[in-house]
């Protein structure tokens, strides 16, 4: 394709017969004022999550992130740079979604823990005592007992 430059002959409004040539490919320059609250600048998401940026990307506090990646059985590779811990963003989000969609293993783990505690108590001659849960975290009252001796 070849660029075509047109010349337009313009007759002034006053009726004068002098003509001037205007180049149709000429450009105009203007200054535009935009208020700062009218601009939205978005940066691309980081490829790696660390304790420094995890809250802004996922909403998870840094302490929860660190506890999660340090937990035994965490399936994703963790890159260590000094005190900084890095995990791939997409893989971490997929891991969180998998946890949210399958809460059954957590319940099974809690049941296994209760069964294990009952076995340890039984081995030393004690049995677990169920107590109603308090509305808030507090220490045991003076008369509260954790277990009792089983009658022989």
């Amino acid at each position: 394709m070849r660029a075509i430059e047109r010349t337009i002959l313009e007759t002034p409004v006053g009726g004068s017969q002098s003509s001037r040539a205007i180049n149709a490919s000429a450009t105009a320059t203007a200054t535009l004022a935009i208020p700062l609250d009218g601009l939205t600048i978005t940066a691309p998401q980081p490829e790696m999550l660390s304790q420094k940026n995890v809250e802004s990307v996922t909403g998870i506090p840094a302490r929860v992130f660190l506890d999660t990646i340090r937990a035994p059985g965490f399936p994703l590779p963790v890159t260590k740079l000094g005190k900084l811990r890095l995990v791939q963003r997409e893989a971490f989000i997929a891991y969180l979604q998998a946890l949210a969609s399958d809460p059954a293993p957590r319940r099974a783990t809690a049941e296994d823990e209760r069964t294990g505690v009952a076995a340890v108590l039984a081995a030393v001659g004690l049995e677990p005592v169920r107590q109603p849960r308090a509305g808030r975290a507090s220490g045991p009252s003076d008369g509260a007992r954790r277990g009792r001796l089983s009658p022989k």
Side-chain angles (χ1 to χ4, degrees):
M1 242 195 190
R2 125 182 155 205
I4 301 173
E5 187 173 313
R6 293 185 339 194
T7 303
I8 300 172
L9 296 176
E10 184 179 296
T11 306
V13 177
S16 169
Q17 292 297 334
S18 69
S19 62
R20 342 179 264 218
I22 297 177
N23 188 350
S25 64
T27 59
T29 304
T31 302
L32 181 62
I34 300 174
L36 288 177
D37 60 347
L39 293 177
T40 303
I41 300 172
T42 57
Q45 293 288 331
E47 292 296 317
M48 302 292 281
L49 290 178
S50 71
Q51 62 266 36
K52 293 185 181 257
N53 67 2
V54 71
E55 190 162 4
S56 65
V57 174
T58 63
I60 296 173
R63 174 62 25 212
V64 173
F65 171 75
L66 289 173
D67 290 344
T68 302
I69 65 173
R70 289 177 180 155
F74 182 70
L76 304 176
V78 178
T79 304
K80 298 176 184 178
L81 295 173
K83 292 184 178 184
L84 196 66
R85 301 297 181 255
L86 300 166
V87 178
Q88 288 185 344
R89 177 182 50 87
E90 290 180 5
F92 187 72
I93 291 173
Y95 170 73
L96 292 177
Q97 289 172 341
L99 284 179
S101 66
D102 191 18
R106 277 191 250 150
R107 279 192 222 121
T109 303
E111 284 297 319
D112 290 344
E113 184 177 328
R114 280 191 222 117
T115 305
V117 169
V120 169
L121 288 174
V124 294
L126 298 173
E127 65 183 31
V129 176
R130 294 214 173 238
Q131 293 180 344
R133 288 189 166 197
R136 46 175 226 221
S138 62
S141 64
D142 293 334
R145 295 180 296 173
R146 294 277 179 205
R148 62 176 175 233
L149 289 172
S150 59
K152 291 188 176 184

